Amino acid sequence: MSAPTIDPVPVQAPGKTSGSASRRTAKAARTTPARFDTALGWSDRPGLGLALRVLLCLIALGVFAAPFLTIVSGAFDDDARGSVLSFYPHDAGLTNMRVAGDRGIWDYFTNSLVIAGGGLLLQLTVSVLAAYALARHRFRGRALVLTLFMLTMMLPEEVIAIPLSLVLGDVPLVGVDLKGTAWGVILPVGAWGFSVMLLTEFMRDIPVEIEEAARLDGVGELRMLWQVVLPLCKPALGVAGVLGFIMIWDQYLLPLIAAKDPTDYTVTVALSILRTDPEVGSGVVLAGAVIALVPSLVVYLLLQRSLVTGIAAGATKG
C-alpha cells in the first residue's frame, strides 16, 4: 500500500501576510478611531462633517450659555439695563449685590437653604424606605401604592394650591397651623413620586442571591437596607439628590401659600418682589438670580459623577 500523499502547505515569506489579514491587523492596530461614536457618524478628518459638527456645537453653546452670561454680566454691572443684551459688564462693580443684600436677599437665601436641606433629607428618607418596601417585598396592593405615588406627579401645583393651603392652616387630626414655618414647605415636598419610582427600579435589579446570603448571616431589615442595598444604589441616590434639590429649591407657589409674612419667603419668591420694586433696577434682580443660582450649581458639580452614572445605568438597563 502506497503512503498517502500530503499536499505541501504554502509557507509565506517573513514579513508578508495575506490581503485580508493585513487589513485586519491594520484595523486592530489603529489607535485613533476614524469616526466619532455618534449617531450621525461625523468624521474626525477636516471636511464638511467636522465643520457641521463644530457649527452645531457652537449654536448649542450659544443657546445655553448666552442667558447665563447675560445674568452674570448684568449682576456685576453697575449700569445694567434690562433692555440691553450684554455678555460682559461695562461698569463692573458690586453695587447690585449690596443693594440686593440691603433688600434682605440673604435672609431669603437662608430660608431657602433650610427648606431645601430639610426637605431633601426628608424626601430621600421617605423615598428610600418606600422604594425598599416596593422593590424587595411582596404584598397586596403594591402596584396600587406605586400608582398613587405616580399620580402625585400628574397634578399641577395650581390645582392643589387651595386645598394644600387649607390643610397647612389646620393639619387634620393634629390641628396644628404650619403656615409661617419651614415645616409648611418641607412636609409637602417630603414625598416625590419620581424619586420613589427611580429608586424602586434600581433596587429591583439587585440580585436576590446577595440578599439571601446576607440573611443567612443574620442581617435584619434595617441593616440590609443600610449596608447592602443602599451602597448598590449610589448612582440612583445621586440622581434623586440632584433633581430633588433642584425641585425643592425652585419651588415658588408652595412657599408663597405657606408664608404668613414676607420674611417667610424663599429666594425664588424674593426675586419676584425685587422685580416689582420700582426703586431697584434690573441689575439688582440679576444679582439676586446669581445668588439663587449658586446652590444648584454647587450641588450639581458635587454630584455630577453620580448623576451621569445613574442616568447612563438607567439608559442601558435591560
Side-chain angles (χ1 to χ4, degrees), residues 25-51:
T25 304
K27 183 177 180 180
R30 204 166 61 190
T31 57
T32 303
R35 306 182 74 83
F36 287 99
D37 187 16
T38 60
L40 297 180
W42 282 306
S43 174
D44 59 347
R45 298 177 180 177
L48 181 60
L50 181 60

Side-chain angles (χ1 to χ4, degrees), residues 36 38 42-43 47-59:
F36 287 99
T38 60
W42 282 306
S43 174
L48 181 60
L50 181 60
L52 180 60
R53 180 175 185 268
V54 173
L55 178 61
L56 291 178
C57 290
L58 290 177
I59 292 175

Side-chain angles (χ1 to χ4, degrees), residues 4-89:
T5 60
I6 301 177
D7 296 333
V9 178
V11 179
Q12 296 179 351
K16 295 183 179 180
T17 57
S18 61
S20 60
S22 177
R23 287 191 296 268
R24 288 196 300 268
T25 304
K27 183 177 180 180
R30 204 166 61 190
T31 57
T32 303
R35 306 182 74 83
F36 287 99
D37 187 16
T38 60
L40 297 180
W42 282 306
S43 174
D44 59 347
R45 298 177 180 177
L48 181 60
L50 181 60
L52 180 60
R53 180 175 185 268
V54 173
L55 178 61
L56 291 178
C57 290
L58 290 177
I59 292 175
L61 181 63
V63 170
F64 290 102
F68 177 77
L69 292 177
T70 303
I71 292 174
V72 175
S73 171
F76 295 98
D77 192 346
D78 292 343
D79 191 23
R81 300 177 182 178
S83 60
V84 178
L85 181 64
S86 177
F87 296 118
Y88 61 92

